[in-house]
Structures are given as structure tokens and as C-alpha cells.
Amino acid sequence: MQLVCQRVGTCSSCLKRQLNGFLGLIKWQRRLVPACVRTIYSETGKWEKSYGLETRKRVENWWLPRIKDQFCKISETDKSRPKFYVLSMFPYPSGKLHMGHVRVYTISDAVARFQKMRGMQVMNPMGWDAFGLPAENAAVEHGLHPASWTQSNIQHMREQFEALGLSFTWEREITTCLPEYYKWTQYLFLKLFEAGIVYQKEALVNWDPVDQTVLANEQVDDNGCSWRSGAKVEQKYLKQWFIKTTAYAKAMFDALSDLPEWYGIKEMQANWIGDCVGCSLDFLLKVNGKVTEEKLAAYTYTPEAIYGASHLYILPTHRLLHGNSSLKEVFQREFIPGEDSLTSVTAVNLLTNQEIPVVISAKTNFENFLDTKIGIPSTSAEDAVVAKNLGISFTEVIETLPNGLEKVINSGEITGMTRQEALEAITQQAKNKGIGGDLTSDKLRDWLISRQRYWGTPIPIIHCQTCGTVPVPYEDLPVVLPSVTTFTGKGASPLETASEWVNCSCPRCKTAARREIDTMDTFVDSAWYYLRYTDPHNTDRPFNNDLADYWMPVDLYIGGKEHAVMHLFYARFFSHFCHDLKMTKHKEPFHKLLVQGLIKSQTFRLTTTGQCLKREEVDLTGTEPVYLKTGEKLQVAWEKMSKSKHNGIDPEELVKEYGIDTLRLYILFAAPPEQDILWDAKTDAMPGVQRWQTRLWTLVTKLIEARTSGTMPNPGLLNKKEKAEARKIWDQKNLVISEVTEYFTKDHLFNAAISRLMSLTNVLHQASRPLILHSAEFEDALATLCVMVAPMAPHIASEMWKGLSHMQNKLCTHHHWDVDVLHQSWPKVDPEYLQPSDVVEMSVLINNKACGKVLVPQQAARNFEEVHELVLQSELGVKHLQGRTIKKAFLSPRTALINFLVQE
């Protein structure tokens, strides 16, 4: 007894010393339970029989730091091993985890642990999408510098992640607001610039006329007013930077067909891109015969008929009529509202050198997002009408032969070609000259990346009065954000105030010049981060090609459906671009995509004002929720958890109340990943997974007690009935291994996987005491169950395994009892189980209703005549079919089932 007490005391003090530093960081796991209350085997070598609240706390406190430290450290990549790259979309460091974070990262953690147990070299990295408007708003409102606010939030969220026991590959951590990351974002921008895929043009921005500043869309309220000044927001033209994503539209659309099923997301991507049947071509504008500095890209659905162009068509809302163009006055003077207005401005096609007039359309809009079109009467009756009404001459360029084949005529070097041949020739010529020609749709617009903000990646461009727009030399990267101390939210970009930074010398002519003061859209930072994870500490280039080729594509990409269009499109664009630069061998960045649903909670709104109430302000005792103060009935809805709606649930509080494993199991069990979880409607799931953990613990307790009872286990002592029961346990174990493995690898139905593990738990609970004591099948099934639970509930599984591994008189020697459960190999189905049986149980249906099963030989199970005859001759057939008129019978080609349709 004295020895045991000394042992308990020593282990407890060791535990406190080992965890003291770790627990100082983690506020969620503060209290250690005194050793005299409950003990766990890992501390004392004595198994605790029940799995109550205190035991759970001690188990999680013990295993949390150990699990964190023993996952996948892969500083050196072993390219000879199979890899699995699981990536969850990295978060914006807002400072506090919410339940949406918990869901996505619990899923990625479970997948990462599962794949590691399968022998894969796993990467499950984490980083921070750290630029963005909230940090700048915090600087305005609280006087905190965006950098310090962001770093503080990152530190806090990192601690919260660790408190959930999540297995990230932290040595690959990236932070997009650090120069060592955004240096390479700037590098890729320069590569795009060199390729002619980055350009500037005027575009509309939200303008606050009071604060004299540009507003993001989210800074404009529902009434179109500024969030800060309250002024009515105006639309103003500013010169903005664009990435020509339309150049890759056709390639990205076509590549979708090579990707696996993305649960509807492929269709969303295809719809976003649109049908890539036409292209844009560049024109130079002239007025009164004089060339201007204005260039214009115009879209046509029929590039092959370009020699038949009669006019260029622009909308009355076009920037040339409202921006800062030198032609603005001409267009406004010659525009007649409600009519097609022929102007004195002409457009020279830079491919064919044809000169055609510019017409301002009577329409208020064209198809989808077009604002400029090429009028070609040969292929558009509408264009022909416009040309005739305005007296514009045109040439027919399409001829239909007697056999129905269409050929191009009156079209220079493409005359005589089929329309398809001409289309290919014209688009290729335009691309070769850098004046358009990329097949795209009328829906897709180029990506506007300019932001008039401080807290973003600086655009590496210098403006020189002599040399024009000059890229920053590669050797001068990164262009580091200057230190700005005052943020008012008013006036020009804060970068404008950093005069020493803005004013510089031109890299070419060395005269005085100015830096670009716009920063990049944060979507640019996140459009290539998956590649940086493959080589995050490289100081010479964005990533090593060989490492990227080994790890890419991402095997499983996990994130919210709200990012299924824009972020995914931009990430795919950058991957295609890097492939064309021969930086990667894979065009597509993501293989499988798992889009998880929201976690929703109820909101309670006052019907009079729409104000959201806190839960404590609502009376829920009656049949309908009412406002406690006034008794007013409330509007109740299920909505995404939000601080502003007072319907959020703090993960920290849930961990304190239920524990890490219970929360993880709940998240995985409450619904399939792609479905929303309605929090209050799933009150049965939380106690359900709690009970299951208790039942698992009880099974381990039963086996340990049986093996320490003084009776040696001996399978030979089992009688025939008990051996048959052991065989059923063996069958069930193999079936569950097969199903759970498939759920993890194919559809990621973790709720179904947990349900099957629960069923195996139930089977083991029904085992008799002799079976528990003497059966190798029971011991093996329980050990296998622990291993399969481990990726989803690693703390309790680790402790149960520790108890089993030190159990005396084990019957199963194939498990690696000397290492922890998370280092076990994922169980495989026993080869004997996979061998086909001599007989098959054939399900028999009569008029679509099941009425029993009949055993038929394996070799006859696919032969309709033999199965038909065997069923008729069987006891079931004699009872249910004899003397009845069989109209028809069907043998299922996929399952062991035959259906008889008989006359009633």
C-alpha cells in the first residue's frame, strides 16, 4: 500500500512539473484534479474503473501535450514514401476560435491521423491569412497597430488550437503578413506582369465624400451609406490593377472534367467561368483621325468573323463616358439617350488593322457582364440592324456551301478556312501578338486586385514620369510595408503619408519616382499558400519544384462553401499559371474537395426593430419564445453563429463542460460533413457520444478485470456456442474495419463511421464472461476498436490502449503493444474474411416485399434460371409461391436479391 501511495505521489508531481509550462498557455485546461480524487493508469499504473468527469479531465490533461508532440514532424521530406497532403483553409486571425473553426479543423485532424496510421507521410499544415481590413479597423478604433493586433491574435488562436489537441504540422506554419511570405507574393505578381497578365485600367470604387476615402463593400451599409461617416456612398472611377484571369478561362473550364466529383462545386466553378465560346480583341481609339492613348478590349462571340466587323458597341455606363478618359467629353456630347449613337470616335483593330466607328448603345446592358462588344452583322442579325440603321457599311464574311458547311470569305489570310479553323487561327494570332484572343465567356471578368489600404501586400510597381510603369527589380524584393503610426480611416491610403517610402528613384533612369500605394486583395495571398507549405522556409524562391511536385496536388482540401467559387477559382488560376512557368508539374492544385456545412444556432429577433436578443433576454418556458421584458413575440430563425446575432457558442466553454474528445466526436457524429449542424436540434448527439465513451471504457475495464482475475485465458475452454459467438465477433470486426475505412477514404462520412464503431461496441458488450476471458477474437476486436477510435477521439483511445498494452496474459501478439495507439497501423481486414463463401444468402422479395432468404451455391448466384428454380424448390418457395401465378421475376445484377411479381 505504501508503495502504491509513493508511486501515485511521485507520478502526480511529475505530471504537474511536465504540464506546468504547457498549461500556463492553455486556459481551457487550467485545473488539475488532485491525485486523491481519481487516478489514471498512465500516471499510476492502476486502472480506474469508471470514466467520469474527473477521469476524463485527467486523461485529457495527461495526453494533450504528448499527443501534440508526437504527430507528424516532417522537416525532411522522404520522397520514397507515399504522401497524403490534407489541407484545411487557413483562418483569418480574428483572435478567437468559433465553432466553424472547430468543425473544419477537427475534420482535417481526424483525416491526418487516419492517413498517418495507414503509413502515409502526412502533411496537415496551418498558417494565417493575416492581411485584411479588420486589422486596419482595429488601428482606427483602438489605436493598435495592425501588425501588433494581428500577432497578438495569432498567438491567442495558436494556444486555442493546441488546447483542442489538433495535429498540425506547425514547423510549416506561414503568415501572409510577414515579409518572408509576401516577398514571394510580389515575385509572382512580377511574373504575371512580365507575362502581360497584369494591367491597369479605371474601375469604380465606393467613395465616401465626407471622409474622402475609398470604402470596401463591407464598409457600406444596407442603405448605401458609409459605416463611419454615415454619408451616402458615391461611385468613383480610379485607376486599378487587374489580373487577366480570363486568359485562363478556357483551360480552367476544360480542366474541371479531369477532377473527381466535388459535390456540386465543379458545377459552381463551371457556372462562374461560363461557356468559353468567344474572346476579347484589343482596339486603339482615334478621334478626328488622331490616335489617342486609349486602348479598348472588346468581346465577340465569333472571332472567326472578325473581318466582317462593322462597329464597336459600348454601353452608356461605360467608363469612357464617366471616368477620366480624354474622350469623355466627345462621347458625352455625341450620346443621345435611348438611341444608338454613332460617334466620331473610331477603333482600329490591332489584329486586322481595320478601322470601325464606335457606337454608344441605346441599351442599358449587354449579355451578362459585357460593356463592350464587336458588332459583326454576318453572325448577328441584331448587329446587322444597328449597322443598317446607322448607315455603317459592312462585308459578309461567312458563306454556307450546298452541303451545309460554313466557310470564311473576304477575310485576308483566313479566307477559305472553315469557321472552326478560322477561329483557331485568329485567336492564336491575337495571343501571339499579345492583343487578346484568349477564349473566355461573357460572364467572367478580370480580377480587380487593387485595395486602397495599408494592411496588405504592397504592389511592387514604381511610377516614373519618364519610363512610365516600372516593375520593382527582383533583387529589391520584398517591398516592405513602411511603419505607419497614425490611422484615421479618412483621406487617401495611409501609405500616402509615408513620404520617405513613397518617394523613390526609378530603377531604370534613376530619376525621382513614386511607389504604387495600392496594396493587393488578400485573395492573392491565399491563392498560392498551398504551394508555399511544401517548402515554407525557402529564401531563394517561392518553393522548390521537386518538393512541390512531390506534395502536390493537395489530396483533400477542406473548407466552407462560401469559398467554393472565388477563392477556389483564384487558387486554381495561380496553379495553372505556375504550371505554365514550369514551376509545378500539376495544373490543378486540389484533388478531392470536402466542403463542410455551417454550424447554426437559433437567433431571436424583435419583430418591431429586428434587433437580435441574447439568450438570457428570452423567455423559453412557454410554447413560443417571447421577450422577457415586454412579453413580445420573437422572430426565431436558424442562422450561422455570429457574435452580432448573440447566437454563438464558445468552444472554450464546451471543452470545459464536455472535454475535447466529446466535442470532437459530437462535431463528427452530428451530421455528414457537407450538411449544416443545427446546434439545439442535436441535443441527443452530445449525451450519445458521452455514453459511447463510457461504454468503450467499460469494455476495457471488463477485459482488464477478467485477465487479472487469477484465471489464465485458454481459448480451448470455450464451448461450441461460445466459439460461434467468437466467430460472429470476428465477422463483425472485419465488416466494421471494411466500412469505416471506406467512410474515411471515399465519402468522409465520419458520422457513419462512428455509428459503425458504436455497433461493434454493442456487439462486444453482449459477450459473455467466458468469451471475454478466453477469446482472442474479443481481445482483438476491442484492440482494433481502440485503434479505429483514435483518429477521432485520441485522448481516451490513448489511455485505453495504455491500459490494454500493460494487461497480463494477452492472446493477440500481432498488435504493437509497446507503442502508443496513434502509432499503430490502421487495421486491415483479415485475408480469410475476404475469401468468397461457398454459399450466398439470396434475399427473396415477393411483390417488392421481403419475405426471407434462401441459401444458394456461390457459382449459381448470378444465374437467373438456377436461382429461380432453387428458390421455388426451397421451403420458403413452397410456402409462399406454390400454386401462385408468377408474372415475372428479376435477379439483381449487383446484390444477392431476387424479386418475384405474382398475381394477387
Side-chain angles (χ1 to χ4, degrees), residues 154 194 330 426-427 704 742 762 781 857 891:
I154 287 173
E194 286 175 6
V330 176
I426 287 292
T427 54
I704 290 173
E742 186 165 326
N762 293 338
L891 181 66

Side-chain angles (χ1 to χ4, degrees), residues 521-537:
D521 177 9
T522 56
F523 272 116
V524 181
D525 306 313
S526 59
W528 73 280
Y529 78 115
Y530 50 87
L531 286 164
R532 184 64 175 172
Y533 277 138
T534 66
D535 191 15
H537 307 299

Side-chain angles (χ1 to χ4, degrees), residues 542-823:
F543 48 86
N544 178 285
N545 296 38
D546 291 340
L547 288 171
D549 290 346
Y550 171 76
W551 284 110
M552 295 297 292
V554 173
D555 294 280
L556 180 64
Y557 195 35
I558 308 169
K561 198 167 188 176
E562 65 271 23
H563 301 300
V565 175
M566 286 202 299
H567 162 66
L568 207 57
F569 176 79
Y570 298 143
R572 293 182 62 227
F573 165 80
F574 261 86
S575 184
H576 276 247
F577 178 68
C578 288
H579 172 78
D580 282 358
L581 292 184
K582 298 188 170 18
M583 295 172 72
T584 61
K585 73 177 180 184
H586 301 285
K587 274 189 181 181
E588 287 294 328
F590 313 119
H591 180 58
K592 279 191 174 182
L593 183 69
L594 179 57
V595 176
Q596 97 280 356
L598 302 172
I599 298 185
K600 294 182 176 180
S601 187
Q602 286 181 311
T603 54
F604 301 94
R605 282 188 173 86
L606 292 171
T607 52
T608 49
T609 64
Q611 176 192 344
C612 290
L613 300 178
K614 296 177 182 177
R615 187 63 67 104
E616 55 267 27
E617 297 176 300
V618 179
D619 182 358
L620 297 167
T621 57
T623 54
E624 291 184 89
V626 295
Y627 188 20
L628 266 174
K629 285 185 179 177
T630 64
E632 178 186 342
K633 287 186 179 179
L634 304 174
Q635 292 178 335
V636 183
W638 290 100
E639 297 183 54
K640 181 180 177 180
M641 290 184 182
S642 165
K643 190 176 180 180
S644 62
K645 296 173 187 172
H646 304 299
N647 71 335
I649 295 169
D650 189 351
E652 184 173 337
E653 295 303 316
L654 292 173
V655 168
K656 282 180 184 176
E657 184 174 355
Y658 297 107
I660 301 169
D661 285 338
T662 303
L663 180 58
R664 288 167 62 98
L665 289 170
Y666 169 83
I667 289 289
L668 297 170
F669 184 56
E674 70 277 5
Q675 291 183 13
D676 294 340
I677 293 176
L678 304 183
W679 187 263
D680 285 350
K682 285 287 181 182
T683 50
D684 58 323
M686 192 68 86
V689 293
Q690 280 183 304
R691 285 193 301 271
W692 181 44
Q693 290 172 88
T694 302
R695 287 166 65 77
L696 286 168
W697 192 273
T698 302
L699 284 174
V700 175
T701 301
K702 282 183 178 180
L703 184 57
I704 290 173
E705 287 181 340
R707 295 295 170 82
T708 54
S709 63
T711 304
M712 288 293 291
N714 183 357
L717 297 176
L718 295 174
N719 60 35
K720 187 177 180 181
K721 181 183 176 183
E722 289 162 348
K723 287 179 180 176
E725 190 181 345
R727 175 71 188 199
K728 284 184 179 178
I729 288 174
W730 181 84
D731 283 338
Q732 186 68 13
K733 178 207 74 171
N734 281 294
L735 176 62
V736 171
I737 290 172
S738 171
E739 292 177 331
V740 171
T741 304
E742 186 165 326
Y743 288 137
F744 259 95
T745 54
K746 289 190 178 177
D747 299 319
H748 304 100
L749 296 176
F750 307 106
N751 60 317
I754 291 172
S755 180
R756 295 305 293 127
L757 294 175
M758 286 177 170
S759 73
L760 180 56
T761 306
N762 293 338
V763 168
L764 294 179
H765 263 283
Q766 293 164 10
S768 60
R769 179 169 170 74
L771 208 66
I772 296 171
L773 176 58
H774 297 298
S775 164
E777 289 84 356
F778 181 93
E779 180 184 308
D780 184 34
L782 181 54
T784 301
L785 180 57
C786 278
V787 173
M788 289 193 287
V789 167
M792 296 179 283
H795 307 87
I796 186 174
S798 294
E799 183 62 20
M800 291 191 302
W801 186 265
K802 187 65 76 174
L804 290 174
S805 65
H806 287 81
M807 177 182 67
Q808 299 299 308
N809 306 316
K810 286 190 283 288
L811 296 172
C812 298
T813 56
H814 60 279
H815 294 289
H816 300 290
W817 296 108
D818 55 330
V819 294
D820 290 337
V821 69
L822 290 168
H823 292 286

Side-chain angles (χ1 to χ4, degrees), residues 287-288 328-337 339-345 358 360:
V287 61
N288 299 324
K328 178 179 176 179
E329 190 177 324
V330 176
F331 280 125
Q332 287 186 343
R333 184 174 64 245
E334 298 180 349
F335 171 51
I336 304 170
E339 295 183 18
D340 289 323
S341 307
L342 180 63
T343 72
S344 58
V345 180
V358 176
I360 304 171

Side-chain angles (χ1 to χ4, degrees), residues 21 34 106 113 118 167 282 308 364 395 537 564 584 644 701 754 769 836 841 873 891:
T106 297
R113 294 188 187 281
R118 294 183 81 207
S167 59
D282 288 350
T364 55
T395 304
H537 307 299
T584 61
S644 62
T701 301
I754 291 172
R769 179 169 170 74
E841 280 190 330
Q873 292 174 5
L891 181 66

Side-chain angles (χ1 to χ4, degrees), residues 243-269:
I243 294 178
K244 196 187 291 184
T245 49
T246 50
Y248 279 80
K250 184 71 165 68
M252 291 171 65
F253 186 94
D254 291 345
L256 289 170
S257 61
D258 298 327
L259 294 170
E261 178 53 53
W262 276 6
Y263 305 101
I265 305 304
K266 276 169 58 168
E267 289 75 10
M268 292 170 69
Q269 283 279 298

